[in-house]
Structures are given as C-alpha cells and as structure tokens.
Amino acid sequence: MILKRSVKPHGAVRPSRTAFWPKAVQERVKTGHDRELVHAHPYRSACPSTVWGELIEGATTDIFLAGYTNYFVWLEQPAFVGTLRRKISEGCRVRFLLGDPDGEVTRQREAIEDVALSIATRIRISLEHLGRLGPLEGLETRFSSAEDAVNHISLSVFRFDHDALVTPHLARLVGHDSPLLHLRRQGDSGMFDRFAEHAEELWNRGAPRTP
C-alpha cells in the first residue's frame, strides 16, 4: 500500500490558530495585554477585603499605596499596623503616597464630595496610623506635589509586587463608589506597567513627610 503525502498548494495561506476556535471561546479567552486584567469591579467596595489582605500578605518586595488618603485600608485590614511592621522586618519596602491635607486641590475636592468625613481628616487619620507604625527603615511617606495633586486625586494605584488595584475616581463619587481594576503584570509596557509608572512619577516628584 502506497501512502501519498498531501501537498499544500503553492501560495496557500495557513489558517490562523484562532480560526479553529469557536467565536464564543475567542471572546472569552484573554490574549495579549488583556491577560493582565484579573478582575473588574464596578465599585471599589465590591472588591472583597480578603483580596486586599491576600495581596498584602503575598507581597515580598514592594507595597506601594498611592491613594490620595489611603484611609479605608486601615479600617478594612485587621491589625494592619502589625502586618506592615512584619512585612518591613521581612525586607519588604512599604511606601505611602498621600495628598496634602492643606492643599488647594484637597479643599476643592472636599467641596465637591460634600461629606462629613473630609478628605483632610481622612489623610490625617492615615498619618496618625503611620505615626504608630514608624519611623522604621523601609517605611517611606510622601505628599504628592501641588502640581500633581489633580492627577493624584483622580486616580489611586495600590501596588503589591506584580499585582495592582487601580481606582479611577468618577466625578463627585468618593473612592469606594468608583470602579476598581485588579491587574497582574504579564509583560513589558502593559496596563500594569502604565499605571505603575504613573504612580512612580508622582512619587518621584513628591515631598517626603515624616509621620
């Protein structure tokens, strides 16, 4: 019995791999930079506090909290001061980037939000907790510059090694009513890197503060 080898016609185009996948499957499978989006929540408050706790516990080199007040983390994470002290002792770098409680942008946003617990008060509560934690080698706190305050207050980035939780603040909404994206780094120049670079730029231009 003679087996004949099939010969592909000259110039024929090989179908792409995705051509064999049903359309419904293609729409559900993440490719490229889409793989970095772990989860999206329409409200930050819809993201379970356990997710935050797991990311904090899992970080070994860098915890960078670049929310404008970072107030809610102290409330939602049990024994957060002790957890951060332990992470620092294990060699993890911990940074807090806060807004200036006396800044003009802070005052303007307070008028927009019009809530009883003002932004300046929430920042000072964070500073009070940081005062209980520090000073420690490996713990750094800065205020964003006056020039960057608008960019800082409109976008919060919380980074834990190669994971990040990002909240773009919408119009008059406070942080917990704004959306949240959970990103995990998969490669260079993806969504994770873009937001991480934004936070680093604000940090580099910020002014060091001693809690």
Side-chain angles (χ1 to χ4, degrees):
M1 180 178 180
I2 300 175
L3 297 177
K4 294 183 178 180
R5 296 177 59 188
S6 60
V7 179
K8 185 168 63 176
H10 180 71
V13 178
R14 177 178 295 178
S16 66
R17 184 176 300 175
T18 56
F20 297 104
W21 289 23
K23 186 173 186 297
V25 174
Q26 293 181 38
E27 291 175 348
R28 294 183 64 87
V29 174
K30 297 177 181 179
T31 59
H33 294 307
D34 287 346
R35 294 177 302 153
E36 297 198 328
L37 180 60
V38 177
H39 203 90
H41 299 275
Y43 300 89
R44 192 188 70 198
S45 54
C47 180
S49 61
T50 53
V51 171
W52 292 82
E54 290 168 359
L55 293 179
I56 293 166
E57 281 293 340
T60 59
T61 60
D62 199 3
I63 295 175
F64 184 15
L65 302 181
Y68 200 77
T69 72
N70 296 302
Y71 161 77
F72 70 97
V73 188
W74 305 100
L75 301 182
E76 296 181 2
Q77 294 304 309
F80 192 42
V81 168
T83 299
L84 291 181
R85 184 175 287 118
R86 174 170 51 81
K87 300 302 290 187
I88 292 170
S89 70
E90 293 170 351
C92 187
R93 182 188 187 191
V94 175
R95 292 180 290 168
F96 281 79
L97 181 66
L98 300 166
D100 182 352
D102 299 315
E104 180 61 27
V105 169
T106 298
R107 288 191 289 270
Q108 292 173 357
R109 184 66 184 186
E110 286 177 340
I112 292 172
E113 290 187 359
D114 191 24
V115 295
L117 192 62
S118 70
I119 294 174
T121 299
R122 301 201 300 265
I123 293 171
R124 291 191 173 99
I125 290 174
S126 282
L127 290 171
E128 182 180 336
H129 285 292
L130 285 166
R132 297 192 189 112
L133 178 59
L136 290 174
E137 186 176 351
L139 172 65
E140 303 166 75
T141 304
R142 293 184 184 182
F143 286 167
S144 54
S145 69
E147 294 76 15
D148 287 326
V150 171
N151 296 324
H152 186 191
I153 204 167
S154 62
L155 179 66
S156 295
V157 179
F158 309 92
R159 182 154 63 84
F160 314 92
D161 289 353
H162 294 302
D163 282 81
L165 300 174
V166 177
T167 296
H169 295 264
L170 304 182
R172 297 177 180 272
L173 299 181
V174 294
H176 63 262
D177 286 334
S178 293
L180 179 142
L181 305 176
H182 181 182
L183 306 175
R184 180 168 298 140
R185 191 177 191 276
Q186 299 291 343
D188 293 340
S189 303
M191 289 179 65
F192 176 95
D193 280 0
R194 299 297 304 280
F195 285 115
E197 289 164 5
H198 165 84
E200 290 293 344
E201 187 173 350
L202 299 186
W203 174 263
N204 290 335
R205 289 199 294 265
R209 288 292 185 271
T210 303

